[in-house]
Amino acid sequence: MKNLQMVDLKGQYTHIKDEIDQAISEVIDSTRYIGGPHVSGLAQELQDYLNCKHVIPCANGTDALQVAFMALGLEPGDEVVVPAFTYVATAEVIALLRLKPVMVDVDLDSYNMTVEHLESAMNPRVKAVVPVHLFGQGVEMEAMMAFAKKHGIHVVEDSAQAIGSSQVYQDGSKHMYGAIGDVGCTSFFPSKNLGCYGDGGAIFTQSTDLYEKIKMVANHGQSRRYYHDVIGVNSRLDAIQAAILRIKLKRLGQYNQARRKVADHYDQSFADVDWITTPLRSGHSDHVFHQYVMRITNGRRDDLMKYLAEKEIPHNVYYPVPLYKQKAFASFTDVRELPVTEKLCKEVIALPIHTEMTQEIMDHIVSVVKSFS
Ligand SMILES: *Cc1c(COP(=O)(O)O)cnc(C)c1O
């Protein structure tokens, strides 16, 4: 079997090609390349989809996080609690703004930070926390929000990998990830569950006060044209990308369902393999499987990687190195070792998962993985 990929963007495009091509050529024809009806239309549609009062599209997910932190008005040296097992962007912007990332461990089964991890890191300098909904599985936010409120800290959700996922609270109410914290940040990087054809991102908030600040920071700190109240950045989503995202947002439910089906198949196929621990599906949320990440518990993850490479089965390790062991963070953290993060970095492996997976490809991947010994 040839040309297997972690994610099949070409196959997905093929199904919506006519609609996409027409939308792109309409934008080019209109000459409204910055802002305009597609950007505001996307913001409105995301507001409805997430049940969120305000959506500010921006240039990418890393910018979304940076702008969010700039808008919160934290002081240099303020501490922000982040999981040590995440993509670098989560903590990078914190360090960039001269805030202090406080790295905490994660749960072995969900790979996510819990309110207990947050609690263990609390001290009077902690001003914010970034729950990262890793691989498409939501952090338990009901307890996290209650704790944050009690301690007066900001919650900035990193929902770059979990758009479309939600949590049902004890009272039965449903909350979309990204629209729960004070601010939510997402990325439209092509391979994300809602990806565009370049870079893109968005910021979500239910607070009108924060919305005004975020909008200002993302637009050169100006409240009206050529009047600059704060130092800001330039972070915009292109109109072409917004037009593409509107087409894909209509299909996001269907796309996430297709990912879940692949995950179900892997789960069932590996249930009888004693050296594989398939990913947890937490009781509090649905999983949108940005990645299918399982653990290889016989100590031979790296051998399996070599084997899969020989057999041309795509795979990846998210993430091989804990944040606190990255050279860039050496002067930003005193953390040396967190046991679960260390274990996950040695055991996790991601298999292909996307919206275009066929039974034949899945069966092939499963049989190769199972033939490893
Ligand atoms: C992708 C991603 C980001 C950054 O998004 P970009 O659009 O690539 O800047 C941030 N956090 C997490 C968890 C991500 O997966």
Side-chain angles (χ1 to χ4, degrees), residues 59-260:
N60 58 65
T62 309
D63 269 13
L65 288 159
Q66 183 180 335
V67 169
F69 275 104
M70 289 173 78
L72 286 174
L74 304 183
E75 303 287 332
D78 282 353
E79 296 187 4
V80 181
V81 178
V82 296
F85 189 63
T86 180
Y87 183 56
V88 67
T90 312
E92 190 179 28
V93 301
I94 294 165
L96 188 72
L97 295 171
R98 297 286 144 185
L99 305 169
K100 186 179 178 205
V102 179
M103 297 168 190
V104 296
D105 215 357
V106 295
D107 175 61
L108 181 64
D109 301 312
S110 69
Y111 314 147
N112 274 334
M113 185 178 133
T114 65
V115 71
E116 285 79 21
H117 295 113
L118 169 60
E119 193 165 8
S120 73
M122 284 307 290
N123 73 64
R125 293 178 302 279
V126 171
K127 297 289 153 53
V129 58
V130 189
V132 182
H133 308 301
L134 204 66
F135 307 140
Q137 175 139 262
V139 170
E140 202 290 287
M141 290 301 289
E142 188 167 9
M144 181 85 62
M145 291 305 292
F147 182 90
K149 194 169 174 195
K150 189 169 141 206
H151 293 266
I153 63 172
H154 303 287
V155 178
V156 178
E157 291 179 84
D158 182 340
S159 65
Q161 301 186 1
I163 194 152
S165 179
S166 60
Q167 177 168 344
V168 177
Y169 280 17
Q170 299 294 337
D171 66 2
S173 59
K174 183 178 155 181
H175 303 258
M176 299 296 286
Y177 289 114
I180 299 174
D182 299 280
V183 190
C185 300
T186 205
S187 162
F188 303 127
F189 185 81
S191 63
K192 299 282 154 92
N193 290 39
L194 178 61
C196 58
Y197 295 171
D199 272 310
I203 309 165
F204 313 124
T205 185
Q206 307 283 8
S207 152
T208 302
D209 178 47
L210 271 174
Y211 166 67
E212 298 293 346
K213 288 183 178 142
I214 289 164
K215 218 171 47 165
M216 190 156 83
V217 169
N219 185 24
H220 298 291
Q222 61 189 346
S223 50
R224 61 191 165 107
R225 211 160 185 202
Y226 305 126
Y227 290 80
H228 305 271
D229 299 352
V230 295
I231 296 295
V233 297
N234 169 24
S235 191
R236 297 186 283 240
L237 181 72
D238 291 356
I240 287 180
Q241 301 304 342
I244 292 164
L245 287 164
R246 293 179 81 182
I247 293 165
K248 292 185 68 174
L249 178 58
K250 286 187 285 183
R251 292 168 174 82
L252 182 57
Q254 168 199 324
Y255 287 160
N256 283 341
Q257 196 49 36
R259 287 171 178 273
R260 275 189 211 107

Side-chain angles (χ1 to χ4, degrees), residues 227-333:
Y227 290 80
H228 305 271
D229 299 352
V230 295
I231 296 295
V233 297
N234 169 24
S235 191
R236 297 186 283 240
L237 181 72
D238 291 356
I240 287 180
Q241 301 304 342
I244 292 164
L245 287 164
R246 293 179 81 182
I247 293 165
K248 292 185 68 174
L249 178 58
K250 286 187 285 183
R251 292 168 174 82
L252 182 57
Q254 168 199 324
Y255 287 160
N256 283 341
Q257 196 49 36
R259 287 171 178 273
R260 275 189 211 107
K261 255 182 82 179
V262 179
D264 285 344
H265 185 77
Y266 283 144
D267 282 357
Q268 283 153 21
S269 307
F270 297 134
D272 60 348
V273 183
D274 62 8
W275 46 271
I276 293 177
T277 302
T278 55
L280 173 86
R281 315 267 188 121
S282 75
H284 60 262
S285 70
D286 50 352
H287 199 316
V288 291
F289 285 98
H290 172 57
Q291 299 292 351
Y292 186 87
V293 176
M294 55 188 199
R295 289 196 290 127
I296 305 303
T297 54
N298 60 0
R300 299 188 57 209
R301 194 267 319 263
D302 292 354
D303 294 334
L304 173 64
M305 286 172 66
K306 279 187 207 117
Y307 182 73
L308 294 179
E310 274 164 31
K311 304 276 177 191
E312 299 185 348
I313 301 291
H315 57 278
N316 225 327
V317 171
Y318 312 105
Y319 296 94
V321 182
L323 279 187
Y324 50 81
K325 284 198 171 153
Q326 298 286 358
K327 213 168 129 191
F329 288 104
S331 66
F332 285 96
T333 183

Side-chain angles (χ1 to χ4, degrees), residues 342-370:
E342 295 284 330
K343 190 175 167 67
L344 288 173
C345 289
K346 290 188 185 85
E347 291 187 349
V348 290
I349 188 166
L351 294 180
I353 192 163
H354 53 76
T355 59
E356 312 303 311
M357 189 73 92
T358 63
Q359 188 69 41
E360 194 193 1
I361 296 175
M362 277 190 295
D363 289 344
H364 177 63
I365 293 169
V366 164
S367 81
V368 174
V369 170
K370 284 183 142 182

